[in-house]
């Protein structure tokens, strides 16, 4: 059965897409069949992997009921129809674009559709990562309904904890009312600059908030330029800059995540 991990924080600019992108790529390169679902209408995860001509169907076609010229709504498309290959072996993508923003105006019952579609069409994957939008709404709710775990990226700045208590409350409500199995896998410090005093202070603040985040990963994700450059090449940092410290940190973080998930660091091929 797939393990579904939402990368979420109600504060923007903390690097959710970068964490989703690099972590999903590292897991795929370790041999795990991995699916990354872009749940953000900005589509930054999508554009970092593929060009628009590669896909026609997006997550909006899966979640939003289409309307015919007569006004009669039809069934959305299955998740399978939206899956495309990424440039990384073992990593597939469900793309998104601005049309996904219309999901916020859809009926409440459709917030369960993503979960149902992942269960029906995502069982062949070992890991499913959900890149969540920064604001609380139906898209984030749908992702949390679908997830087994949440990873919370926190920027290493004075505003790094903004929205964390709101997210913890939202997760608590989802656990209470809909998804009792949802767990907080932990928080990760992103955009870390060791030369700045605020970076160390921000980590200390996140650790002090362990009651909200459950765990703080040891690896600080530094703000290396190689990580920012990689999307322009449609590659993860671990392939774009294999020998750089930027790659080392993502492998280290991946090790921590897989350990928390109680999974091996490398997928062991089945013996035939």
């Amino acid at each position: 059965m797939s393990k579904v991990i939402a990368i979420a924080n109600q504060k923007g600019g903390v690097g959710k897409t970068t964490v989703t992108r690099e972590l999903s790529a590292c897991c795929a390169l370790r041999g795990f069949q991995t699916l990354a679902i872009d749940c953000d209408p900005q589509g930054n995860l999508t554009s970092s992997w593929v060009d628009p001509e590669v896909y026609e169907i997006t997550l909006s076609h899966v979640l939003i009921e289409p309307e015919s010229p007569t006004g009669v709504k039809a069934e959305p498309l299955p998740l399978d129809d939206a899956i495309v290959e990424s440039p990384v072996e073992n990593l597939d993508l469900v793309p998104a674009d601005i049309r996904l923003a219309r999901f916020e105006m859809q009926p409440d019952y459709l917030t369960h559709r993503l979960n149902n579609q992942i269960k029906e069409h995502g069982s062949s994957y070992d890991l499913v990562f959900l890149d969540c939008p920064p604001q609380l709404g139906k898209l984030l709710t749908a992702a949390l309904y679908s997830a087994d775990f949440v990873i919370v990226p926190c920027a290493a700045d004075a505003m790094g904890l903004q929205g964390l208590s709101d997210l913890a409350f939202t997760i608590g409500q989802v656990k209470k009312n809909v998804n009792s199995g949802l767990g907080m896998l932990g928080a990760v410090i992103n955009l870390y600059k060791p030369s700045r005093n605020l970076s160390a202070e921000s980590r200390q603040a996140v650790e002090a908030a362990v009651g909200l985040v459950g765990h703080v990963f040891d690896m600080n994700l530094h703000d290396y330029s190689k990580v920012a450059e990689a999307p322009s090449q449609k590659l993860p940092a671990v392939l774009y800059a294999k020998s750089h410290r930027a790659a080392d940190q993502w492998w280290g973080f991946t090790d921590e995540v897989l350990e928390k998930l109680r999974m091996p660091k490398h997928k062991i091929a089945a013996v035939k």
Side-chain angles (χ1 to χ4, degrees):
M1 182 179 292
S2 303
K3 293 187 178 181
V4 184
I5 301 103
I7 312 298
N9 191 329
Q10 289 175 224
K11 185 180 185 303
V14 297
K16 291 183 294 295
T17 296
T18 299
V19 171
T20 306
R21 169 192 168 81
E22 298 297 332
L23 181 57
S24 62
C26 286
C27 290
L29 291 167
R30 289 281 179 84
F32 296 99
Q33 294 298 317
T34 306
L35 177 65
I37 302 180
D38 194 345
C39 299
D40 189 342
Q42 295 179 86
N44 290 332
L45 180 66
T46 300
S47 61
S48 71
W49 284 133
V50 295
D51 293 319
E53 57 267 22
V54 172
Y55 59 89
E56 293 183 4
I57 298 171
T58 68
L59 187 60
S60 63
H61 297 90
V62 177
L63 299 185
I64 298 173
E65 294 176 332
E67 291 189 8
S68 70
T70 60
V72 178
K73 291 184 177 180
E75 184 77 7
L77 296 176
L79 187 69
D80 266 358
D81 287 5
I83 295 174
V84 297
E85 293 182 353
S86 84
V88 178
E89 186 177 4
N90 300 323
L91 177 61
D92 289 340
L93 169 72
V94 174
D97 58 22
I98 192 60
R99 289 174 292 184
L100 185 58
R102 292 188 289 123
F103 184 71
E104 299 298 336
M105 299 178 286
Q106 296 298 299
D108 287 345
Y109 65 83
L110 286 175
T111 54
H112 296 272
R113 182 169 172 81
L114 179 61
N115 181 35
N116 294 336
Q117 287 295 301
I118 291 174
K119 287 181 176 178
E120 185 174 350
H121 300 284
S123 59
S124 62
Y125 294 96
D126 300 303
L127 292 162
V128 178
F129 290 95
L130 310 177
D131 184 23
C132 298
Q135 66 277 358
L136 177 60
K138 289 181 180 177
L139 282 168
L140 177 57
T141 300
L144 295 178
Y145 284 1
S146 308
D148 301 307
F149 303 99
V150 182
I151 293 176
V152 184
C154 295
D157 57 32
M159 305 298 288
L161 292 180
Q162 185 178 7
L164 192 55
S165 60
D166 290 339
L167 178 63
F169 176 78
T170 300
I171 290 172
Q173 292 298 108
V174 169
K175 289 182 65 173
K176 179 181 178 181
N177 298 314
V178 178
N179 184 4
S180 61
L182 180 62
M184 186 79 86
L185 203 63
V188 58
I189 305 298
N190 194 26
L191 304 173
Y192 191 79
K193 298 182 190 301
S195 60
R196 293 183 179 178
N197 291 333
L198 281 177
S199 291
E201 292 174 3
S202 294
R203 179 172 182 90
Q204 292 170 3
V206 174
E207 289 174 341
V210 71
L212 297 176
V213 298
H215 171 78
V216 182
F217 290 98
D218 292 335
M219 182 63 67
N220 295 322
L221 301 175
H222 291 231
D223 191 18
Y224 291 123
S225 61
K226 294 294 184 182
V227 178
E229 293 167 10
S232 66
Q233 304 301 313
K234 300 292 190 284
L235 289 173
V238 292
L239 293 182
Y240 174 69
K242 292 182 180 180
S243 59
H244 194 274
R245 288 171 295 177
D248 294 339
Q249 69 175 2
W250 287 107
W251 288 125
F253 177 55
T254 301
D255 287 344
E256 288 192 69
V257 170
L258 290 173
E259 183 178 358
K260 285 284 289 180
L261 291 171
R262 298 182 180 180
M263 297 175 70
K265 292 183 179 179
H266 295 268
K267 184 176 182 180
I268 301 172
V271 178
K272 296 183 179 180

